[in-house]
Amino acid sequence: MRDSIRTINRSIARITFPAVASNITVPLLGLCDTAISGHLGSADYLAAIAAGAMMLNVVYWIMGFLRMATAGLTAEALGAHNRDAMARSLERTLWLALLIGVVAVALRSPLSELLLGLLSPAENVKTLAGGYFMMCVWSAPAMLTVMGLSGWFIGMQNTLWPMVVSVTMNVVNVVLSLLAVAVWKMGFVGVAFGTVAATWLGAVMIVVAALVYGRLPGNKIRLTRLSSLGRGSGMSRFLRTGGDLFLRSACIMGVSMAVTAIGSRMGTMTLATNAVMMQFFVFFSYFMDGIAYSGEALCGRSVGERSVDSFNRVVKVLIGWGIVASTVFTLSYIVFGDNMVALLTDDAGVRMSVESMMIFVWLIPAAGGAAFLYDGFFIGLTATRRMFLTTLLSAGIFAMLVIILPSDNHSLWIAFLAYLLARGLGLAFQLHTAASRRFS
């Protein structure tokens, strides 16, 4: 048993550390964009980044099923040694990502109007956020391709290539954004320019990496013609799984947009405050996602191998990893939180406002850790209907608290943390039943 646990820990480390290194560049990129905007001389730019990024996340996060469904199904195919299923998973993801991305670009104008209407920022912020979105949305086909193929690599138990692509893409993004703003004097638009250029570079890199990796002697994956993608049960199962995850992502986006929209209606200062606070949440969430990817990959492989014992051991070990990570983040936020706020903005009013809300930042890891970790287990099981229903119920709890609590930012964050906690506890309560049905 000790040898088995040691082997699982090595597998988790092999998957998690590159995934964390990859994911950590994403919140660092967000921190950079927020910091650049926070030093342009007005809180309007900081608020615009919050609104514009949220608009883009509606497109990207709601399409997260491309990565999650692909990761779970690919890991199961790998465990079952089904090379045809691995190949079909790669092909489906690539073509769907490109198709959905092209549709998003074509609908960019009505999307911008709709999302700005939902967020309802102040007019000066609305103009800046709309311009940011209209430029960045041109990267949608590229970003969705990176997301989808990253899921395929995770399912193949390889997070090294996604790490290389993500780190390269985000470093280029930061450099180009800084050059565009500080050297080329493009102003706020320069932040969007860096994002578009770097994302397309990342898409080219990950497509090439996937095609090369699939041809390696240990994989020997043969790609088929586009016309064959609809044959068999693979596509229908992918769409069923993806549909549940799509609806789940819609619930998550609904809560995230509500936090931004409600904060926006409380004023530009509150919107800017929440933009900074959300960076702490995003930083933690991407780190925890790196651990959860191990759950997706290893639990999915256990399902393909039909090994209940392996699944249970993976869950036990990963829960330990999650507890350690949440504890480290909590202590870090308590000790270094004020210093991190100072790095994000030099606006004295925003800094004072955030510092008065730091108790909620400290509670983020405890409230949200289980939600991210158990997501990984359920994706590996492809128990996606339970994920959707649990998220829907949690979103309902958020909405109820928003209605009954006083209309202020403290109440908004109480509702948000309660939503995260409900997601984690709800999935934890159902894990045994979901696993029993999957292995029966």
Side-chain angles (χ1 to χ4, degrees):
M1 177 66 73
R2 285 185 178 180
D3 289 340
S4 178
I5 296 298
R6 189 176 295 114
T7 299
I8 292 173
N9 272 309
R10 284 199 296 266
S11 297
I12 292 171
R14 176 172 52 82
I15 295 170
T16 295
F17 290 144
V20 169
S22 174
N23 284 348
I24 213 71
T25 63
V26 178
L28 286 177
L29 173 64
L31 289 171
C32 178
D33 286 353
T34 301
I36 293 172
S37 302
H39 290 81
L40 286 175
S42 171
D44 289 347
Y45 294 112
L46 196 57
I49 274 288
M54 180 59 66
M55 293 165 67
L56 286 169
N57 286 338
V58 171
V59 178
Y60 298 147
W61 288 357
I62 207 169
M63 295 302 165
F65 75 88
L66 286 170
R67 187 201 65 76
M68 292 181 286
T70 300
L73 294 174
T74 303
E76 183 179 334
L78 180 67
H81 305 289
N82 188 337
R83 287 190 173 88
D84 287 340
M86 296 179 215
R88 287 197 299 270
S89 184
L90 172 60
E91 294 160 347
R92 283 194 302 265
T93 303
L94 178 59
W95 291 111
L96 283 172
L98 291 173
L99 176 62
I100 296 170
V102 169
V103 171
V105 172
L107 298 177
R108 62 190 181 280
S109 293
L111 275 175
S112 179
E113 293 179 8
L114 173 64
L115 296 173
L116 285 172
L118 291 174
L119 293 176
S120 301
E123 281 301 318
N124 50 341
V125 174
K126 182 177 181 179
T127 300
L128 291 170
Y132 179 84
F133 175 84
M134 290 293 286
M135 185 168 183
C136 284
V137 77
W138 284 96
S139 66
M143 179 58 76
L144 294 177
T145 297
V146 171
M147 288 168 52
L149 294 190
S150 293
W152 184 80
F153 272 109
I154 291 167
M156 296 294 290
Q157 323 284 290
N158 185 315
T159 54
L160 181 61
W161 278 110
M163 180 195 73
V164 171
V165 171
S166 182
V167 170
T168 302
M169 182 175 70
N170 288 301
V171 167
V172 170
N173 194 336
V174 170
V175 171
L176 288 178
S177 294
L178 286 171
L179 286 173
V181 173
V183 179
W184 301 329
K185 306 301 181 183
M186 295 175 64
F188 187 69
V189 176
V191 180
F193 168 77
T195 299
V196 174
T199 304
W200 277 103
L201 172 63
V204 172
M205 289 179 63
I206 202 164
V207 168
V208 172
L211 295 177
V212 171
Y213 187 75
R215 292 178 178 272
L216 293 179
N219 297 324
K220 296 181 179 178
I221 295 174
R222 295 183 177 181
L223 301 182
T224 59
R225 294 176 300 175
L226 178 61
S227 60
S228 68
L229 291 181
R231 297 176 184 174
S233 60
M235 178 61 83
S236 61
R237 186 182 177 198
F238 180 91
L239 293 177
R240 286 197 303 272
T241 302
D244 290 333
L245 292 170
F246 176 89
L247 294 173
R248 166 191 170 274
S249 295
C251 292
I252 293 174
M253 278 309 309
V255 172
S256 298
M257 286 191 68
V259 171
T260 303
I262 294 170
S264 175
R265 294 188 178 99
M266 292 179 186
T268 299
M269 180 58 68
T270 300
L271 181 58
T273 298
N274 289 347
V276 174
M277 292 179 65
M278 274 296 178
Q279 291 303 318
F280 288 90
F281 169 71
V282 170
F283 191 80
F284 172 71
S285 69
Y286 276 101
F287 194 97
M288 286 300 297
D289 269 342
I291 299 176
Y293 289 171
S294 293
E296 298 175 18
L298 297 175
C299 290
R301 186 167 187 168
S302 296
V303 170
E305 294 170 343
R306 309 300 298 169
S307 175
V308 178
D309 290 340
S310 174
F311 175 84
N312 289 333
R313 285 194 294 270
V314 168
V315 169
K316 178 180 178 181
V317 174
L318 275 172
I319 287 175
W321 280 63
I323 291 172
V324 170
S326 296
T327 301
V328 169
F329 267 88
T330 299
L331 294 176
S332 298
Y333 285 171
I334 291 173
V335 175
F336 303 111
D338 291 345
N339 294 337
M340 295 176 69
V341 173
L343 289 174
L344 290 173
T345 180
D346 55 7
D347 187 296
V350 175
R351 287 172 61 176
M352 289 181 60
S353 180
V354 173
E355 288 167 4
S356 71
M357 299 278 293
M358 285 302 291
I359 182 63
F360 298 104
V361 171
W362 299 343
L363 291 174
I364 285 172
F372 295 104
L373 189 61
Y374 278 85
D375 276 351
F377 302 152
F378 276 75
I379 290 170
L381 289 169
T382 59
T384 51
R385 182 58 53 87
R386 290 175 180 268
M387 292 179 69
F388 160 56
L389 294 176
T390 300
T391 306
L392 179 63
L393 175 61
S394 302
I397 292 173
F398 168 82
M400 179 186 68
L401 290 176
V402 166
I403 292 172
I404 65 177
L405 292 176
S407 181
D408 56 42
N409 207 29
H410 286 77
S411 297
L412 180 60
W413 275 88
I414 290 172
F416 181 67
L417 294 179
Y419 147 80
L420 291 175
L421 186 62
R423 273 179 57 197
L425 292 179
L427 291 176
F429 180 76
Q430 300 177 78
L431 181 62
H432 177 73
T433 302
S436 297
R437 292 188 177 183
R438 192 70 180 89
F439 285 100
S440 63

